[in-house]
Amino acid sequence: KAGVTQTPRYLIKTRGQQVTLSCSPISGHRSVSWYQQTPGQGLQFLFEYFSETQRNKGNFPGRFSGRQFSNSRSEMNVSTLELGDSALYLCASTIGGPGTEAFFGQGTRLTVV
Amino acid sequence: AQSVTQLDSQVPVFEEAPVELRCNYSSSVSVYLFWYVQYPNQGLQLLLKYLSGSTLVKGINGFEAEFNKSQTSFHLRKPSVHISDTAEYFCAVKPREMGYSTLTFGKGTMLLVSP
């Protein structure tokens, strides 16, 4: 059974640019969540999508957005990149029921220069 | 809202020694509890979870954790560590009653196992 796939694994962008990250969940999983991991702030929740609808959102500026497609694949977009957006972005998928575990991808390492 | 405190940012230990990684949480609602491990340049892997029932939970790689409701703790233990256990460990909680899957994580504990 294939795991959660995130692409690309590494990205280098310039301040002011925008970026799109992709996440393909485990087959049959309908919930996809995104997390930002930095040395200073640790793991912080960005947003969660379930059946193409955003059902929870973390405390991030509007420059961070996401969407989910009918096949449950998800993308997140960051516009007007800032140096502080440099981080490991992790995607997690779950079937969606209570108590179900989240399976994480290997992440996308974004560096903003 | 929920919060998770991992009391030690780093725990050095010798190979074959026992280890305990501490986790305390705060929540106004009942939660599920999880421990994840992260190896360098990797995502997170679930070690174990507490949903209900016995407060002692066994996970992969010989790890176990005990849920203590009165102390709001969920400490992770291993009786004998290996070099390969060197990694960062994260404690996390998720509300039981909410309809979403959001995890709140602690800051992590780096376990450093030396020979």
Side-chain angles (χ1 to χ4, degrees):
Chain A
K1 188 175 184 181
V4 179
T5 304
Q6 290 189 247
T7 56
R9 287 293 312 278
Y10 301 92
L11 265 180
I12 300 176
K13 289 287 188 179
T14 304
R15 267 185 306 174
Q17 286 186 314
Q18 75 165 12
V19 68
T20 299
L21 312 182
S22 179
C23 172
S24 293
I26 292 171
S27 177
H29 286 197
R30 297 165 66 190
S31 166
V32 173
S33 298
W34 289 88
Y35 295 84
Q36 181 195 65
Q37 186 178 24
T38 60
Q41 299 299 317
L43 282 151
Q44 294 187 286
F45 169 74
L46 282 155
F47 27 66
E48 182 200 353
Y49 287 88
F50 182 83
S51 294
E52 301 180 66
T53 301
Q54 185 182 87
R55 67 178 181 181
N56 197 17
K57 188 175 187 304
N59 189 24
F60 277 81
R63 300 185 297 106
F64 291 81
S65 63
R67 58 179 176 169
Q68 187 179 32
F69 302 96
S70 58
N71 61 359
S72 292
R73 190 178 71 85
S74 177
E75 289 181 346
M76 66 164 280
N77 184 278
V78 189
S79 63
T80 320
L81 283 165
E82 300 176 0
L83 295 179
D85 297 333
S86 295
L88 180 66
Y89 290 88
L90 291 165
C91 166
S93 77
T94 73
I95 290 176
T100 54
E101 76 174 89
F103 292 83
F104 284 80
Q106 292 190 301
T108 294
R109 172 76 62 185
L110 172 64
T111 302
V112 182
V113 297
Chain B
Q2 294 78 45
S3 67
V4 177
T5 302
Q6 291 184 242
L7 295 156
D8 305 296
S9 59
Q10 225 176 60
V11 172
V13 64
F14 288 109
E15 194 175 17
E16 297 183 8
V19 70
E20 178 179 81
L21 306 184
R22 297 179 292 169
C23 171
N24 286 88
Y25 69 94
S26 173
S27 177
S28 55
V29 299
S30 183
V31 295
Y32 299 114
L33 298 126
F34 304 83
W35 274 98
Y36 283 87
V37 61
Q38 185 178 35
Y39 299 99
N41 296 315
Q42 298 293 318
L44 277 69
Q45 180 184 6
L46 182 72
L47 278 176
L48 48 79
K49 60 184 176 183
Y50 175 76
L51 303 183
S52 64
S54 171
T55 56
L56 183 63
V57 180
K58 294 194 181 297
I60 62 170
N61 301 340
F63 284 93
E64 63 180 32
E66 185 149 24
F67 170 57
N68 187 317
K69 188 175 181 179
S70 62
Q71 296 187 0
T72 59
S73 68
F74 190 53
H75 300 332
L76 181 70
R77 302 185 185 102
K78 187 169 182 178
S80 175
V81 296
H82 302 290
I83 298 284
S84 59
D85 292 324
T86 295
E88 190 150 27
Y89 293 79
F90 294 92
C91 181
V93 300
K94 181 169 74 171
R96 285 177 177 268
E97 301 301 330
M98 311 301 275
Y100 43 78
S101 301
T102 305
L103 289 162
T104 300
F105 287 91
K107 294 283 193 186
T109 297
M110 187 68 199
L111 176 62
L112 298 165
V113 183
S114 53

